[in-house]
Amino acid sequence: MTAALALLVCLQAPNALTAAEQRAGWKLLFDGKSTAGWQNFKSTTIGSGWQVRDGALCIVDAGNAGDIVTSEKYDWFELTLDYNLGKGQNSGIMFHVADDGEATWHSGPEVQLYDHPAEPGVEISGYLYQLYESKVDSTKPAGEWNHLRILVSPKICQTDINGVKYYEYELGSEDFWKRVKSSKFAQYPQYAKLTKGRIAIQGDHGQVAFKNIKIRPIKS
């Protein structure tokens, strides 16, 4: 990130769109004041474990939170957000989530969020769970804000953390399905099959906070 871009980020109001972002087609998924636009999976309401505190969407009680999903469905998009993990805490962002199925992760590929040292066999923040990992770890320590970017498009998909590219892949490619076949997701017939679905945030694994959640739909 350049010094000029860093200054711009610092000056920008939280949970708001700039004029340039609005012209580019970005939409806010969190207004910084309420849980509007989100609901628990297979529900029309949201659990008390999710609270808005100091302009952030927070999991304050994982036992009463549960996974939440967007009210709208998306096919191709660019998603950005800031997340803050407590020490040893765990969450994840899923996409193309189906309304049926027993759990969000039975259909939606998950970008892992996990405060844990990069060790063999550990799925840390930014990994596409059990499918794609990074050789770098650009995350900040627990208690600090990290910036996540997820690109899901017909030609290329990519995940970045704090401006560092982790990996890219083609959704539905031969390589993608080969990895799925060797993962635990092979047993779920809906996994990664939808080309349009809800975006989900995992809410049952720990205390995590999110802000500046923005999405830019991409035309096919």
Side-chain angles (χ1 to χ4, degrees):
M1 182 180 292
T2 65
L5 180 56
L7 178 61
L8 179 62
V9 171
C10 290
L11 293 176
Q12 184 175 341
N15 304 307
L17 296 176
T18 65
E21 287 174 330
Q22 293 180 45
R23 289 192 297 270
W26 286 90
K27 298 170 52 181
L28 277 179
L29 290 182
F30 172 57
D31 62 13
K33 302 175 182 178
S34 71
T35 58
W38 295 90
Q39 60 209 40
N40 277 115
F41 181 56
K42 291 188 172 182
S43 176
T44 58
T45 60
I46 191 167
S48 61
W50 287 95
Q51 298 286 328
V52 177
R53 296 186 176 180
D54 299 323
L57 181 60
C58 306
I59 303 171
V60 298
D61 178 6
N64 291 296
D67 293 1
I68 57 174
V69 297
T70 52
S71 298
E72 295 186 33
K73 297 180 180 181
Y74 299 92
D75 46 12
W76 313 114
F77 60 86
E78 180 179 5
L79 175 75
T80 62
L81 57 83
D82 297 327
Y83 71 90
N84 190 320
L85 293 168
K87 189 168 183 62
Q89 301 300 286
N90 187 344
S91 184
I93 309 296
M94 287 153 278
F95 60 90
H96 293 172
V97 172
D99 288 334
D100 50 1
E102 294 183 6
T104 53
W105 56 271
H106 287 189
S107 58
E110 175 189 350
V111 176
Q112 171 78 309
L113 300 179
Y114 186 20
D115 175 56
H116 194 288
E119 299 174 355
V122 176
E123 303 272 342
I124 64 170
S125 290
Y127 286 20
L128 192 66
Y129 199 79
Q130 291 200 357
L131 302 182
Y132 293 91
E133 60 183 47
S134 172
K135 294 182 179 179
V136 299
D137 179 8
S138 63
T139 57
K140 298 178 182 178
E144 295 188 26
W145 287 98
N146 290 274
H147 185 71
L148 172 68
R149 173 180 177 263
I150 301 173
L151 174 68
V152 179
S153 73
K155 294 294 184 181
I156 199 72
C157 300
Q158 182 175 321
T159 301
D160 305 350
I161 292 186
N162 297 323
V164 176
K165 177 181 174 180
Y166 269 37
Y167 50 78
E168 64 179 38
Y169 61 97
E170 183 181 349
L171 195 63
S173 66
E174 182 178 347
D175 176 70
F176 179 86
W177 288 119
K178 180 180 179 180
R179 292 169 185 255
V180 171
K181 187 176 181 179
S182 62
S183 75
K184 71 176 184 180
F185 303 114
Q187 63 184 301
Y188 301 108
Q190 280 190 308
Y191 183 79
K193 292 295 179 60
L194 293 185
T195 56
K196 186 174 185 178
R198 302 187 195 276
I199 293 170
I201 300 178
Q202 188 177 59
D204 59 354
H205 282 14
Q207 295 181 339
V208 190
F210 302 90
K211 65 180 181 180
N212 298 321
I213 310 174
K214 307 174 183 181
I215 192 166
R216 181 179 67 87
I218 297 174
K219 295 182 179 179
S220 299

